Amino acid sequence: MTTTMLLEINALQVYYGDRLIAHIPDAVRMYRGECIGLIGENGAGKTSLLRVLAGQLEADAGHVLRRGTIEVVGQWDERSQMEQSSAEIQTLSGGEWTKRRIAAALATGADILMFDEPTSHLDVQSIHELEKQVRAYDGLIIVISHDRTFLNEVCTRIWELEDQKLHIYSGERPGAYKQYREEKERINKEMWRAYHNREAERERLKEMIGEKKGSASKASRPKKGLTSKEMRLARPHFNRKQAKQEKTVKAMEQRLSKLVSVPRPYEEEKLVFDVNYHNPIRSKTLLEGEGLQLRLSSDLMSGSASPDSDSDVGDGTSRMIGTDSSQEGRILLSPLSFRIRPGMKVAITGSNGSGKSTLLHTLLHAYDQACQDGEWKRAAEPKEQGVLAEGQWRLSPRVQVGYFDQRVDQLDKNKHAVEQVRTTTSYSESIVRIALARLHLSGRLALQPVGTLSGGERVKVQLIKLLLSGCNVLILDEPTNYLDIQAREQLERVLKDYPGTVLFVSHDRAFVSAVATHELRVDHTAPYFTAMDDVNVNGAPEHTQQNGQSVGAIEGSGSVTAKPNEEERMRFELEWNRVLSALSLPQSDDAKAELEQQYSQLLVQRRNLKL
């Protein structure tokens, strides 16, 4: 790294209206070759501080010294503010627009680059490419991001904006974010140690003061059996003894009063789910996809929504990703069969435009139709124009689905967060408040009308509303997009504890790694469904890749199926014989229906395993 200084701030103060958001009294210098990750909670003032550093806003106090050229890439929805935005630009998806803006900024060769959430709406492969470009860039880069893996890969320093103060952590690349978290954890442990030591000393002094006061009281009383003359002669001795004890007590009380106050570190209440509130499913299979396939049809037209086109903020409308008639018949998802059991947390992965959201929409459509007519085996039928689906979904009759797609127009703007959640939950108000607090919606925020909250805060309300509802299956489409790092980490913990089943789309690699038990990969040549423990460091399943083809595991299969080993064959035969034997005996209608469903599943598995 060179030592050329490109940016310096000193005695800086930044306000948002009349609210102080950043006070940086010391001089802070930034150099060529550095990549600084600016993090903090939603609303902390990161974007305002970035704009002050870029010269787009004036600081309220202090100064900023800039050397060299500056290029800023703001959040992607700013294209709506461009004066001469072409029709082509307006039809780009969020991911395509972001990539175009980043490429243009990198091409300028500016001395200082500033990015505000550059990984939003990018798929994993695009994020990998951006990481390489950032690491190779010969200049100073300052980036606001909530993507922990991205920060860890590209940053040399982490700046955390917290409580109007800027905390600076230096590290190595890669690994700076990991080192920042370790340092934060060390500081937190030190805070708890100081608090416990102070409390222990306070209790020790209080106990000793009580003991000394008791001793002083006894010291003032002469021993029994003395004559009145002996008692008069002994009185001065006992008075001196009492005075000495009282002096010791007074000294201890002064020590107690002078103990430095150590505030108790913040400790969150644990959110405890009650499985009975989520309509538990007792059967082994919750839902099953059989021979699912997606491809583009011939009725693609300008302005129609393409698979997985990113939604604009707040309105839920979609934009086409440059598809045209030349793509007619293009396969999005090769035939894929899989089975999802109750309690699984399934990450739906794939590149931009691969059909992840479209696949989920076929499931939602099948669920809606099944709820209407009671038939729980449905053909896959997407609602998207220009997409054809084949295969079928099988759902347990006890399935109750809750869906999140970042649209919060279903919330009553006049009701506060606690009221919103209470309308659809059996949990007590105290549990609702604990859940909201886990995503940093506590105190006045929890009691403000939802219409006055920010978009990110309304997203949090919608997520908690779903988590505490009676649903036993959650389908979440990019739930972390508008959440800060702290809220993402809290959501991870809550989802891991959630007693139901979760299917979610996310490009946040840290979030996927923390939450998912299984991965369903949507791909036009080699889709797969596998346990996360079987995914290797390159993101591909260890035991479901063979000669470049997708190979099925017991839980799911792609277009080519592996020959089962002896243990798998024996396990299948035992289950097959058990179900056949049970079907030959008298059964209740419910038990018979469950056995017939298991038999159908085994037939699919038998075909997949070529037994």
Side-chain angles (χ1 to χ4, degrees):
M1 181 185 298
T2 63
T3 56
T4 304
M5 187 183 72
L6 296 178
L7 200 61
E8 180 182 17
I9 57 179
N10 201 352
L12 200 66
Q13 289 188 21
V14 180
Y15 282 80
Y16 186 81
D18 59 354
R19 179 172 68 93
L20 177 66
I21 60 175
H23 178 210
I24 309 171
D26 301 321
V28 180
R29 297 178 179 87
M30 290 143 274
Y31 300 89
R32 182 180 297 279
E34 284 194 296
C35 179
I36 295 168
L38 179 56
I39 65 174
E41 293 187 9
N42 290 340
K46 302 182 297 295
T47 297
S48 295
L49 176 58
L50 191 75
R51 296 185 67 190
V52 167
L53 296 180
Q56 296 177 346
L57 288 177
E58 287 292 327
D60 294 277
H63 70 270
V64 180
L65 174 64
R66 307 173 187 89
R67 293 176 178 172
T69 55
I70 299 177
E71 187 71 21
V72 182
V73 178
Q75 295 185 17
W76 67 272
D77 55 341
E78 68 181 12
R79 62 177 159 178
S80 61
Q81 303 170 12
M82 297 175 63
E83 294 181 359
Q84 297 179 336
S85 56
S86 66
E88 178 196 5
I89 288 178
Q90 288 303 316
T91 58
L92 290 175
S93 72
E96 290 297 319
W97 166 251
T98 300
K99 286 190 283 188
R100 179 172 294 196
R101 290 281 288 118
I102 290 173
L106 290 168
T108 65
D111 297 290
I112 304 171
L113 288 183
M114 298 184 182
F115 295 133
D116 195 347
E117 289 289 353
T119 63
S120 292
H121 309 286
L122 295 184
D123 57 32
V124 173
Q125 184 57 42
S126 298
I127 295 174
H128 281 312
E129 290 300 318
L130 178 58
E131 288 169 354
K132 294 178 183 177
Q133 293 169 326
V134 169
R135 286 194 296 263
Y137 197 78
D138 182 26
L140 167 65
I141 295 180
I142 303 175
V143 56
I144 296 174
S145 180
H146 298 309
D147 186 326
R148 291 155 288 175
T149 307
F150 175 76
L151 291 169
N152 199 56
E153 288 295 320
V154 303
C155 290
T156 58
R157 279 199 281 177
I158 299 294
W159 286 8
E160 183 180 29
L161 191 56
E162 183 180 36
D163 297 329
Q164 299 88 42
K165 298 176 183 177
L166 187 67
H167 305 275
I168 298 177
Y169 302 84
S170 297
E172 299 176 353
R173 180 166 65 188
Y177 183 80
K178 180 175 181 288
Q179 293 161 23
Y180 147 76
R181 287 311 307 264
E182 290 171 349
E183 179 64 10
K184 285 276 287 187
E185 182 65 23
R186 185 193 66 77
I187 292 172
N188 187 59
K189 288 180 178 178
E190 288 295 327
M191 290 172 63
W192 274 108
R193 183 178 294 111
Y195 173 77
H196 287 310
N197 289 343
R198 193 264 185 189
E199 289 299 295
E201 178 65 7
R202 186 172 68 89
E203 290 301 317
R204 187 183 72 84
L205 288 173
K206 288 173 65 177
E207 184 177 348
M208 290 180 64
I209 288 170
E211 291 176 355
K212 291 295 183 182
K213 282 184 176 180
S215 299
S217 177
K218 292 178 182 178
S220 65
R221 299 195 298 269
K223 295 181 180 180
K224 293 182 180 180
L226 295 178
T227 66
S228 58
K229 182 179 180 181
E230 289 174 331
M231 290 181 64
R232 285 195 306 272
L233 292 174
R235 177 67 63 187
H237 166 73
F238 287 111
N239 287 343
R240 287 193 299 272
K241 189 174 181 181
Q242 181 184 17
K244 185 177 180 181
Q245 296 279 20
E246 289 176 346
K247 186 177 180 181
T248 302
V249 168
K250 188 175 182 180
M252 288 182 176
E253 287 176 337
Q254 288 180 342
R255 285 175 58 188
L256 180 61
S257 66
K258 291 180 179 179
L259 276 180
V260 177
S261 177
V262 178
R264 180 185 177 90
Y266 177 67
E267 186 175 31
E268 293 171 330
E269 290 189 76
K270 183 173 176 59
L271 174 61
V272 179
F273 286 102
D274 187 332
V275 67
N276 294 312
Y277 290 168
H278 299 271
N279 300 300
I281 296 177
R282 309 299 182 188
S283 61
K284 291 184 177 179
T285 301
L286 182 138
L287 63 89
E288 182 178 7
E290 181 179 349
L292 295 173
Q293 183 176 11
L294 298 173
R295 60 187 174 87
L296 298 181
S297 66
S298 59
D299 55 350
L300 290 168
M301 60 186 67
S302 178
S304 63
S306 62
D308 282 8
S309 56
D310 298 284
S311 297
D312 288 332
V313 179
D315 64 6
T317 59
S318 297
R319 300 194 184 277
M320 188 176 177
I321 310 180
T323 51
D324 54 42
S325 59
S326 65
Q327 295 181 306
E328 179 181 335
R330 179 167 69 88
I331 293 175
L332 299 172
L333 172 65
S334 294
L336 177 66
S337 297
F338 54 89
R339 183 170 66 248
I340 295 177
R341 303 183 187 278
M344 283 184 175
K345 309 296 192 295
V346 182
I348 315 295
T349 65
S351 59
N352 287 344
S354 63
K356 302 181 297 297
S357 295
T358 303
L359 179 65
L360 289 181
H361 292 163
T362 70
L363 171 57
L364 289 166
H365 185 61
Y367 171 71
D368 290 340
Q369 295 298 311
C371 289
Q372 292 177 24
D373 58 27
E375 175 57 55
W376 296 91
K377 176 181 175 182
R378 313 293 311 193
E381 298 176 0
K383 291 182 287 186
E384 282 83 355
Q385 189 177 25
V387 179
L388 294 177
E390 298 177 12
Q392 65 181 12
W393 287 101
R394 297 171 183 259
L395 301 93
S396 166
R398 291 182 60 85
V399 162
Q400 293 188 14
V401 173
Y403 176 54
F404 171 84
D405 67 350
Q406 300 179 22
R407 292 188 298 175
V408 291
D409 51 1
Q410 299 175 1
L411 298 174
D412 187 335
K413 295 182 180 180
N414 297 317
K415 290 184 177 180
H416 57 64
V418 176
E419 289 177 305
Q420 300 278 354
V421 179
R422 288 300 306 277
T423 59
T424 55
T425 186
S426 299
Y427 285 100
S428 66
E429 181 173 332
S430 63
I431 295 296
V432 170
R433 286 178 175 271
I434 290 172
L436 290 168
R438 291 295 294 271
L439 295 189
H440 304 149
L441 286 174
S442 57
R444 63 175 183 82
L445 284 177
L447 299 176
Q448 279 184 216
V450 166
T452 66
L453 299 179
S454 68
E457 288 165 343
R458 292 199 296 271
V459 165
K460 294 176 183 180
V461 176
Q462 183 68 7
L463 284 168
I464 294 299
K465 187 177 176 70
L466 283 176
L467 280 160
L468 297 187
S469 70
C471 299
N472 49 33
V473 177
L474 298 183
I475 296 179
L476 311 177
D477 199 351
E478 290 287 0
T480 63
N481 262 5
Y482 302 106
L483 300 183
D484 55 48
I485 290 175
Q486 292 86 344
R488 292 185 187 203
E489 292 174 343
Q490 291 298 337
L491 182 60
E492 289 169 0
R493 299 184 184 104
V494 172
L495 286 176
K496 286 192 286 187
D497 291 338
Y498 176 69
T501 305
V502 182
L503 284 73
F504 66 96
V505 174
S506 178
H507 296 305
D508 186 325
R509 291 160 289 177
F511 184 80
V512 170
S513 177
V515 175
T517 62
H518 292 73
E519 179 186 7
L520 196 164
R521 179 72 178 183
V522 178
D523 189 82
H524 68 287
T525 57
Y528 58 78
F529 179 79
T530 188
M532 289 298 291
D533 290 343
D534 295 326
V535 177
N536 63 28
V537 293
N538 296 316
E542 295 279 8
H543 71 283
T544 58
Q545 290 292 319
Q546 183 175 334
N547 299 325
Q549 297 292 326
S550 176
V551 180
I554 290 295
E555 293 296 337
S557 64
S559 56
V560 180
T561 306
K563 186 176 180 180
N565 58 36
E566 190 60 29
E567 181 182 352
E568 290 170 340
R569 183 188 295 274
M570 289 179 62
R571 187 163 62 243
F572 174 85
E573 292 295 343
L574 286 171
E575 183 68 3
W576 176 263
N577 291 331
R578 182 192 68 80
V579 172
L580 289 180
S581 298
L583 282 171
S584 66
L585 300 173
Q587 303 282 352
S588 67
D589 290 342
D590 289 343
K592 186 176 181 180
E594 177 65 26
L595 286 168
E596 287 176 346
Q597 184 180 16
Q598 293 177 20
Y599 176 73
S600 298
Q601 294 163 358
L602 288 171
L603 278 177
V604 174
Q605 188 176 342
R606 188 172 188 172
R607 289 196 297 269
N608 288 339
L609 296 176
K610 298 183 179 180
L611 295 174

